[in-house]
Amino acid sequence: MKTPGDAGFAFPDWAYKPESSPGSRQIQLWHFILELLRKEEYHDVIAWQGDYGEFVIKDPDEVARLWGARKCKPQMNYDKLSRALRYYYNKRILHKTKGKRFTYKFNFNKLVLVNYPFIDMGSAGAGVPQSAPPVPTGPHFRFPPSTPSDMQVSEVLRSPSSEELRSPGMFSGRRIARGSVSDCSDGTSVNSEIEDGNGGVAEERVTERVAERGGGGGGGFRGAVHPRLSHEAMFRMYGGPGGHRGHRVSEVGGHRVHPEPLSPFTVSPLPGPGGPGLLAPPLSPALSMTPGSHLAYTPSPTLSPMPGSIFSFNPEDMQRYLQAHTQSVYNYHLSPRAFFHYPNIIVPQPQRPDKGMPGPQGCDRGPAERPSVLNSHHSSLPPPHAHPIHHHLGEEQHHSPFKFKLQPPPLGRKQRDSQGRQSSLSSSSTSGLGSSLSFGSDLSSASGSGLVSNSSSTGSLNSAGLPKIKVEPISDIESEEEVEVTDISDEEADERDEEFGVFPSHYHKHRHHHHHHRNHYPHSQKHQQPNGTDAALHPDEDLEEEVFKAPAPPPFFLSPTSSSGDSRRGTTVVKSEPVEPADMQLASGGLPQPNSQCIPLKLRFKRRWDQDQHMEEAEDKKVRGEERGRERNGMAEESGSGSGSGEAESPPPLAHHRVSAELHRATAQLSLENKEC
DNA sequence: TACGGAATTC
DNA sequence: GAATTCCGTA
């Protein structure tokens, strides 16, 4: 049967926009999946299930058949289809729900990123991009109504009206609807329609800002359209042919509840050209439990109702989302890594149920109960501008029941394969290190300790000269992913991390590496196959790297205040530095600097790490050498001089001395560099 | 069942 | 680039 949740899931337009999806060219599998998911008629074949964004393919063969039909690939079968799905793992669009057959989970966050290239990550620090595009990823996220009328309804996400609005031009009718089983036409042409609407993004941003400041009145819609965005239809949802949403909405009726509890996206009524609405997959139970978080959340009125607009989100939304997420993390005993670490956002103290929570799975649709909670919560929500912008996450971490254990960066495959203990640090190690280090902002203390512990624990990094360092984007995302948390463990944690991760992952590969190193990760052992593919940056990585390198912070996390504007990167840097300034500076010490450009914090850490390792080794060798020398020669000798490691020349004490000196030097150097930055 | 490499296709 | 196809492995 269908529950409200089942009924129609709306997806943001962006999901169909050409860029993100091959929209114009050919439908992508994930689009197709979404398409099926939103259609009631296919619920016997594939449906949202349990967790947020999670769906189960009830009839693999049928899904494959449908897919094959759509792609005109009669030979399609589940095996092939699943291969395609697996490719999404790396892209982080999707992941497998372990232990559940044919069950996968969308990582909408990722999708958002993918689809929001425009998100300005560029204005680092300072300016917040004007908009922040936010990627509404959380379950509680709502896409703003596209039309003014919708807007007014701040309260209900989807008032019928909105629905109506949407329906008209909806996208759904166009491509998607036709789709699933369609003949072999690929819905290429369709996009034009979608694209028209656009423009909204820019507006959205503006609006958002306005809203933030103004507190949301319903006003503020402005319409500046960002050029870049023009083609993006972003959050228009495609309304389903039937208007599933509508009824859902009604169910929810006067509540501010999500009309579609099950969906990852709430429906936002956007009438716009694109008619957007989002359908969402089921919320995860965890989330639902979160008081107030998503469910109650109502799109801020100010959000733009622009035509075509897209969704806008405001800090509150973000906050709620994060809160929900956090709660979820706690509820599920997820890895701390799963926490979002964004400045400016205060995450409520999670209430950790002593006992288990309702299993995520369960069922699909059971939204009905959340309303009350939401409502109540909602009322308590702070005014838009009231967002606190603090780095609570960090604090949370402290309070968190989780124990962090930072581990040394894993060797890269290459290294492993080549046994290379040679001179280069593998990229993976870099990433690992970087992550833990970069974590600083998030887990400030943790990161700091991480360094220490790491350095002490791993003596094996090679001592060779310059490590090959892969410069990675500074994103805490990575760090989140890569920090090892021993206490949690289950894949769910991983999944959740990813699920909520908004990160692009430029670390797909890295991620895998991680898994390899995680004992508890189910697949960890199997993937140890060699392959040199990751020696170089993965394509995705490159891509993502760029994204992260972009100057501006993700709008998403922008807070109303200027400071909030930091992007992940900015945040990371800012926060991290305080943690261990000296270390940071030292990070690059001794290592050759390509040039005096600013060195990413992460890199610095990495270097620092390397250096530490280096030194330790050197000292070790020295000590050993000396001991040996003494043993052999008695005690004379200028021991050490020739022992292999050309570096260590001085006796232990001296070594320390030297180290200190080097560190100082390095520090000075770095300081200079930093100034330049 | 699921994963992922490799080659190939569109 | 996004699958599709094949296939070995777990």
Side-chain angles (χ1 to χ4, degrees):
Chain A
M1 44 181 284
K2 358 174 135 187
T3 58
D6 293 316
F9 290 97
F11 294 93
D13 223 14
W14 50 262
Y16 299 91
K17 82 185 183 287
E19 294 98 317
S20 62
S21 72
S24 36
R25 303 179 241 148
Q26 232 181 359
I27 187 170
Q28 283 185 349
L29 178 57
W30 65 271
H31 269 197
F32 179 76
I33 296 291
L34 289 176
E35 209 177 295
L36 293 181
L37 286 168
R38 71 177 280 285
K39 294 184 177 182
E40 297 178 49
E41 56 265 50
Y42 296 109
H43 286 184
D44 291 334
V45 174
I46 185 173
W48 291 114
Q49 193 220 35
D51 227 350
Y52 170 80
E54 191 173 277
F55 64 92
V56 58
I57 295 174
K58 298 174 180 174
D59 186 343
D61 293 334
E62 180 62 8
V63 171
R65 189 186 68 74
L66 293 171
W67 175 235
R70 176 60 90 80
K71 297 291 295 289
C72 295
K73 293 284 181 183
Q75 307 306 312
M76 182 55 61
N77 56 38
Y78 181 71
D79 178 61
K80 293 171 185 174
L81 180 148
S82 66
R83 182 69 190 89
L85 291 176
R86 288 195 294 275
Y87 272 117
Y88 287 139
Y89 298 173
N90 284 341
K91 293 181 177 180
R92 302 190 77 229
I93 284 173
L94 204 67
H95 43 235
K96 184 75 183 63
T97 295
K98 273 113 186 168
K100 295 177 190 172
R101 284 200 340 174
F102 309 127
T103 302
Y104 299 82
K105 190 151 69 175
F106 275 105
N107 179 344
F108 289 101
N109 292 310
K110 173 62 178 178
L111 290 178
V112 171
L113 283 181
V114 170
N115 294 284
Y116 281 96
F118 58 86
I119 286 182
D120 190 358
M121 308 192 73
S123 53
V128 176
Q130 348 175 40
S131 53
V135 181
T137 29
H140 49 289
F141 258 101
R142 264 171 208 319
F143 293 85
S146 49
T147 62
S149 58
D150 288 346
M151 292 183 53
Q152 17 183 85
V153 183
S154 58
E155 122 164 45
V156 179
L157 316 182
R158 340 323 4 317
S159 56
S161 63
S162 31
E163 167 116 357
E164 294 173 358
L165 293 175
R166 290 180 266 190
S167 358
M170 306 241 37
F171 197 139
S172 54
R174 316 173 182 172
R175 204 195 187 169
I176 297 178
R178 8 177 157 149
S180 0
V181 187
S182 68
D183 33 282
C184 300
S185 62
D186 46 359
T188 311
S189 57
V190 182
N191 287 329
S192 54
E193 306 159 62
I194 297 170
E195 297 189 353
D196 303 344
N198 69 7
V201 174
E203 290 180 340
E204 198 178 290
R205 294 181 179 179
V206 173
T207 302
E208 191 178 58
R209 286 169 101 48
V210 171
E212 292 175 14
R213 296 182 222 151
F221 310 138
R222 297 148 58 320
V225 175
H226 192 297
R228 274 190 288 177
L229 305 180
S230 62
H231 53 291
E232 310 211 6
M234 315 200 86
F235 287 89
R236 291 175 233 147
M237 57 172 41
Y238 58 99
H244 308 325
R245 291 186 230 112
H247 92 278
R248 279 197 202 145
V249 171
S250 62
E251 279 186 64
V252 185
H255 303 296
R256 303 182 148 189
V257 176
H258 236 274
E260 322 218 354
L262 299 180
S263 322
F265 297 102
T266 42
V267 175
S268 93
L270 270 189
L278 300 177
L279 292 182
L283 291 178
S284 86
L287 292 176
S288 64
M289 292 186 69
T290 308
S293 25
H294 28 328
L295 298 180
Y297 164 48
T298 305
S300 76
T302 34
L303 295 185
S304 54
M306 334 252 308
S309 96
I310 333 211
F311 82 84
S312 53
F313 95 108
N314 65 36
E316 279 185 36
D317 294 345
M318 192 63 214
Q319 190 177 337
R320 289 194 185 85
Y321 174 52
L322 292 176
Q323 290 176 353
H325 174 66
T326 299
Q327 182 69 51
S328 179
V329 170
Y330 277 93
N331 290 342
Y332 284 89
H333 302 273
L334 300 179
S335 161
R337 291 178 297 148
F339 286 111
F340 277 134
H341 305 288
Y342 301 110
N344 304 331
I345 294 180
I346 295 176
V347 177
Q349 285 295 317
Q351 310 170 0
R352 195 158 189 163
D354 293 347
K355 299 228 177 141
M357 334 197 6
Q361 296 314 281
C363 330
D364 322 8
R365 324 126 194 219
E369 329 150 10
R370 307 173 188 172
S372 60
V373 173
L374 297 178
N375 290 334
S376 63
H377 177 71
H378 180 76
S379 59
S380 63
L381 295 176
H385 29 303
H387 298 294
I389 294 182
H390 309 303
H391 299 275
H392 275 242
L393 291 174
E395 292 181 17
E396 285 233 349
Q397 298 292 344
H398 295 302
H399 300 298
S400 170
F402 299 109
K403 298 165 186 172
F404 295 90
K405 177 181 176 181
L406 297 178
Q407 298 179 2
L411 291 178
R413 270 190 208 167
K414 252 192 168 173
Q415 265 67 35
R416 289 198 300 270
D417 293 345
S418 61
Q419 318 256 334
R421 23 175 69 184
Q422 272 87 34
S423 54
S424 57
L425 290 180
S426 68
S427 61
S428 67
S429 65
T430 300
S431 66
L433 176 55
S435 61
S436 49
L437 293 174
S438 60
F439 219 8
S441 60
D442 308 334
L443 301 177
S444 56
S445 62
S447 68
S449 63
L451 282 175
V452 174
S453 67
N454 282 345
S455 59
S456 61
S457 65
T458 22
S460 60
L461 290 184
N462 72 45
S463 54
L466 308 180
K468 294 173 185 175
I469 297 174
K470 172 177 142 192
V471 176
E472 299 182 11
I474 302 176
S475 70
D476 35 71
I477 292 169
E478 291 182 341
S479 32
E480 291 177 4
E481 273 266 335
E482 300 182 1
V483 172
E484 285 271 344
V485 175
T486 52
D487 135 281
I488 308 185
S489 75
D490 51 305
E491 347 162 6
E492 284 271 325
D494 286 335
E495 291 178 7
R496 299 224 179 231
D497 289 350
E498 293 171 14
E499 175 181 0
F500 293 99
V502 180
F503 335 114
S505 40
H506 73 279
Y507 54 98
H508 302 157
K509 289 288 182 181
H510 291 300
R511 173 177 160 235
H512 289 294
H513 284 282
H514 274 299
H515 291 318
H516 293 176
H517 297 282
R518 282 183 196 169
N519 300 329
H520 47 271
Y521 192 81
H523 305 293
S524 58
Q525 293 157 350
K526 33 161 116 158
H527 304 292
Q528 307 253 0
Q529 21 186 292
N531 84 18
T533 57
D534 53 324
L537 288 178
H538 185 284
D540 285 336
E541 290 180 340
D542 288 340
L543 206 152
E544 302 201 295
E545 251 182 285
E546 294 206 0
V547 172
F548 283 89
K549 286 178 179 177
F556 229 54
F557 308 96
L558 297 180
S559 69
T561 66
S562 61
S563 65
S564 60
D566 296 332
S567 60
R568 298 164 208 171
R569 171 197 191 191
T571 301
T572 300
V573 173
V574 172
K575 269 196 121 181
S576 307
E577 305 217 279
V579 175
E580 238 183 318
D583 285 5
M584 292 185 59
Q585 294 186 334
L586 291 175
S588 62
L591 295 176
Q593 301 285 332
N595 57 41
S596 56
Q597 295 185 344
C598 299
I599 297 171
L601 178 59
K602 198 168 179 180
L603 178 55
R604 281 185 241 161
F605 276 128
K606 202 274 193 273
R607 290 183 177 176
R608 187 355 190 0
W609 169 275
D610 292 341
Q611 192 175 34
D612 286 347
Q613 293 301 319
H614 228 349
M615 292 190 211
E616 283 185 29
E617 282 191 25
E619 284 185 54
D620 261 4
K621 289 180 183 176
K622 218 179 243 180
V623 172
R624 281 180 218 147
E626 287 184 34
E627 289 178 358
R628 262 179 275 156
R630 286 173 194 159
E631 291 175 358
R632 295 173 192 167
N633 307 326
M635 61 176 312
E637 274 10 38
E638 60 263 75
S639 61
S641 63
S643 59
S645 65
E647 305 179 89
E649 300 173 349
S650 37
L654 290 179
H656 281 293
H657 239 24
R658 185 182 176 185
V659 170
S660 296
E662 289 184 326
L663 289 177
H664 283 296
R665 212 184 313 143
T667 300
Q669 186 181 342
L670 246 178
S671 296
L672 291 176
E673 292 174 355
N674 287 335
K675 287 179 183 177
E676 292 180 8
C677 299

